[in-house]
Amino acid sequence: MKNILLVLGLLVTTLGFSQVGSIKAEEYVAEFEKKKSIDDVSDYDGPMKPVALLNVGISDELYEMYPELREGRVGLGLTNIVIEYLDWTNRFQFVEEKSEIKNRMKDQWVASRKGVSENQVYGMGKIKLAEYFVTIEIYDFSVSEDEVLSLKEGSKQTQTTRLGLQVRFTDAVNGTYFVGSGLGDAKTVKTQEGLMGLDVDEIKFRESGIGVATRKALETASARIVQRMIKRGVFEN
């Protein structure tokens, strides 16, 4: 009996420092989407390029494939975030599409003539045209969970939200374009000490994870598009 207890004691002691099991999803990041900082391309003091950001929306097909994107309201703030990142580089001026500007100027002129507006408009000024049109596309989205069980440390679950975004600059004259891609991720970790009364429920999906992944992806994509434009001679440095 003592021998049996001794063997069980040694077994428990040994297992106490061992891992029971784990589940882990494979992750892969291509070279063209690896993390880049916008600060790497922000040391600039030269001529700026006028660009127009087209309205960014998520297609119904993509929403059907990934309902979490609609719930996380992805698409509503992409244009605003990209403007902030690109403006940080001191390389771009932001203009609206010519048709939109004309319509607004016409409305303002009519209002001033009717006395609706206190600002008088005496003529149509010259409109600065965009040299590039900027669009944003989502090319990857996934949510994965990894889990590690240990008799010593208990359980650790990690939920990873990944979002891939591509920023495209299209030349307004000849239609050629540059692209910059970025993959952003956000991790939510759930830990529990010991395995007694183990909570095996999956981690609840957090919308904040999409927001973090979006900002990371857009920073990398914006930095990479500027690097590509420097390489092509659009900017000197």
Side-chain angles (χ1 to χ4, degrees), residues 17-177:
F17 294 94
S18 66
Q19 187 179 105
V20 176
S22 65
I23 301 175
K24 186 173 180 60
E26 181 180 0
E27 295 184 0
Y28 175 76
V29 181
E31 192 65 34
F32 65 82
E33 58 187 359
K34 288 183 178 179
K35 182 179 179 180
K36 291 287 185 181
S37 173
I38 199 69
D39 290 331
D40 294 340
V41 292
S42 297
D43 186 15
Y44 179 78
D45 185 20
M48 294 184 175
K49 295 290 182 181
V51 300
L53 280 87
L54 305 184
N55 291 330
V56 178
I58 309 300
S59 66
D60 291 336
E61 291 79 6
L62 196 59
Y63 276 141
E64 289 178 5
M65 291 176 60
Y66 308 115
E68 296 90 346
L69 294 179
R70 187 190 299 273
E71 295 168 3
R73 297 182 298 175
V74 172
L76 297 182
L78 291 182
T79 301
N80 306 74
I81 300 174
V82 167
I83 288 177
E84 291 293 340
Y85 280 133
L86 295 180
D87 188 48
W88 188 258
T89 68
N90 300 313
R91 299 172 186 269
F92 303 102
Q93 293 176 316
F94 302 98
V95 301
E96 293 195 61
E97 290 184 85
K98 185 177 179 180
S99 59
E100 292 184 8
I101 297 176
K102 278 189 172 181
N103 290 335
R104 292 186 185 185
M105 292 181 70
K106 182 179 178 180
D107 292 341
Q108 185 178 350
W109 181 79
V110 171
S112 70
R113 297 286 289 178
K114 291 182 177 180
V116 177
S117 171
E118 63 181 12
N119 297 323
Q120 295 295 317
V121 179
Y122 298 101
M124 296 294 186
K126 291 184 178 180
I127 300 173
K128 177 171 285 190
L129 301 180
E131 293 186 20
Y132 294 94
F133 295 108
V134 184
T135 55
I136 309 167
E137 294 183 1
I138 295 176
Y139 66 85
D140 185 30
F141 173 73
S142 65
V143 179
S144 62
E145 289 194 12
D146 300 332
E147 184 174 9
V148 176
L149 299 178
S150 170
L151 288 176
K152 179 185 178 182
E153 299 178 353
S155 70
K156 179 180 179 181
Q157 294 174 277
T158 304
Q159 182 186 85
T160 303
T161 302
R162 291 159 54 97
L163 186 69
L165 293 171
Q166 184 180 85
V167 177
R168 175 179 296 191
F169 274 54
T170 302
D171 192 300
V173 176
N174 55 35
T176 59
Y177 60 85

